[in-house]
Amino acid sequence: MGRYVARRLLQMIPVFIGTTLLIFLMVNVLPGDPVRALWGDKPPDPAQMEAIRHQRGLDLPLWQQYLHYMKNLAVGDLGTNIGGRPVGDILSQAFPVTVRLALLAFGIEMVLGIALGMLAGVRRGRVVDNLILVFTLLVISVPVFVLGYIVQTVFGLQLKWTEPTVQDATDITQLILPAIVLGSLSLAYVARLTRTSIAENLRADYIRTAVAKGLPKSRIMTRHLLRNSLIPVVTFLGTDIGTLMGGAVVTEGIFNVPGVGNTLFDGLARREGQVIVGTVTILVLVYLAASLIVDLLYAVLDPRIRYA
């Protein structure tokens, strides 16, 4: 196990470098000038613009800028935005909000998705199965921003069950609506994936053997059927953690959540290269860590899997 983890960590290094390099190059080919944007509608001072570019290292070749970025990143320095504020400070305020939102959405999609998938898989071909299939198809078909506005209007403005927009990001109750919207698409996929896996394993020899041995139904369902059916679901859920954190741009915009999505959107609008690259760098690390944890969970769910 230790050697496997060490090998995976070494494999992550080129992935991390390649991803950050790609994002760094893409950000620098975006149109617009963040230094020029400091003057707004006023005419800029060319001398001051050049001085700021030199101070920020923006006049250096791209490869030198990237090397400086990676050198600073190695000591935990994500750089500063064009206004001089450390990117680490910006993300330290935004990330806890998005982490709370993503974990809430993750809990909703995991619990409801697996429960609906189990119910549909066990009742395959019946009315309950068809209703769940229609519901998940409807959720998948509706764009996230449309679903967000519908949920906000119905539950926030019409029924007034909660605030339509987030006023206090530390209040979990205000994050429930955006979490439902954020996790809805993944919930539908988890339900369908679990349904298919449950239905397939129900016909497996080991389930028929367990039934023939007279094992309690609850034990067959939880210890044998659900455990073996969760392997593809865990793969999806593991990669979805990073997707929830990085894909919250639309949801955070609709519900005014001051998280990573809004930070990333503001960075793109202002062409704040350091903010964009810093945010994506952290998200890449989250993806890589989640991927490693998922691989290790395989051995827990299926004892036949061994890591050398």
Side-chain angles (χ1 to χ4, degrees):
M1 178 71 80
R3 291 178 59 186
Y4 175 78
V5 173
R7 191 165 66 246
R8 285 295 308 272
L9 290 175
L10 289 175
Q11 290 173 352
M12 288 179 182
I13 294 175
V15 175
F16 178 75
I17 293 175
T19 308
T20 53
L21 176 61
L22 184 62
I23 295 299
F24 192 88
L25 294 176
M26 290 174 66
V27 166
N28 279 281
V29 298
L30 288 174
D33 186 348
V35 179
R36 169 66 181 81
L38 289 174
W39 275 263
D41 296 332
K42 299 178 181 178
D45 183 338
Q48 289 187 3
M49 288 179 64
E50 287 304 316
I52 293 175
R53 286 198 179 96
H54 181 71
Q55 182 185 2
R56 304 288 182 200
L58 299 177
D59 55 348
L60 295 174
L62 277 180
W63 66 271
Q64 286 190 20
Q65 293 184 40
Y66 180 71
L67 287 181
H68 286 164
Y69 176 76
M70 294 301 289
K71 182 181 176 182
N72 293 331
L73 185 62
V75 294
D77 183 5
L78 292 171
T80 60
N81 67 1
I82 204 65
R85 187 182 177 192
V87 175
D89 286 353
I90 298 173
L91 295 182
S92 66
Q93 293 182 355
F95 253 91
V97 177
T98 297
V99 167
R100 282 195 294 274
L101 178 63
L103 289 179
L104 199 54
F106 184 77
I108 292 172
E109 74 170 72
M110 184 176 66
V111 174
L112 291 182
I114 292 176
L116 290 176
M118 278 194 67
L119 188 60
V122 173
R123 303 286 182 182
R124 186 175 186 181
R126 299 182 183 179
V127 176
V128 174
D129 179 31
N130 291 326
L131 288 176
I132 292 175
L133 285 178
V134 170
F135 168 72
T136 54
L137 181 61
L138 185 64
V139 172
I140 292 172
S141 304
V142 178
V144 172
F145 69 91
V146 174
L147 182 63
Y149 281 117
I150 292 174
V151 170
Q152 185 183 48
T153 302
V154 173
F155 297 102
L157 297 176
Q158 300 295 330
L159 299 178
K160 298 185 183 303
W161 286 1
T162 183
E163 296 289 341
T165 57
V166 175
Q167 308 297 321
D168 180 7
T170 60
D171 186 356
I172 293 295
T173 59
Q174 294 189 21
L175 294 177
I176 290 178
L177 278 190
I180 291 173
V181 174
L182 181 61
S184 59
L185 183 61
S186 298
L187 183 153
Y189 285 128
V190 169
R192 284 178 165 252
L193 200 56
T194 306
R195 172 191 177 272
T196 303
S197 189
I198 289 281
E200 182 179 344
N201 283 316
L202 269 176
R203 298 191 296 268
D205 291 340
Y206 70 92
I207 293 295
R208 285 199 290 266
T209 302
V211 173
K213 289 167 66 177
L215 295 178
K217 189 175 181 180
S218 60
R219 184 175 178 182
I220 295 174
M221 292 294 294
T222 56
R223 187 164 182 176
H224 296 280
L225 180 59
L226 182 59
R227 184 174 179 178
N228 287 284
S229 301
L230 281 183
I231 292 178
V233 181
V234 166
T235 304
F236 177 83
L237 288 173
T239 55
D240 199 46
I241 283 282
T243 305
L244 288 175
M245 295 188 65
V249 177
V250 176
T251 306
E252 291 186 358
I254 294 173
F255 292 95
N256 194 31
V257 181
V260 171
N262 264 333
T263 303
L264 195 58
F265 180 80
D266 289 342
L268 286 167
R270 299 174 183 173
R271 201 179 175 276
E272 293 269 13
Q274 294 283 346
V275 175
I276 299 170
V277 177
T279 305
V280 175
T281 297
I282 300 299
L283 291 176
V284 169
L285 290 174
V286 172
Y287 265 113
L288 294 176
S291 174
L292 177 60
I293 292 172
V294 167
D295 285 350
L296 297 179
L297 279 177
Y298 287 155
V300 177
L301 292 172
D302 190 347
R304 294 171 298 178
I305 298 176
R306 291 287 182 269
Y307 296 113

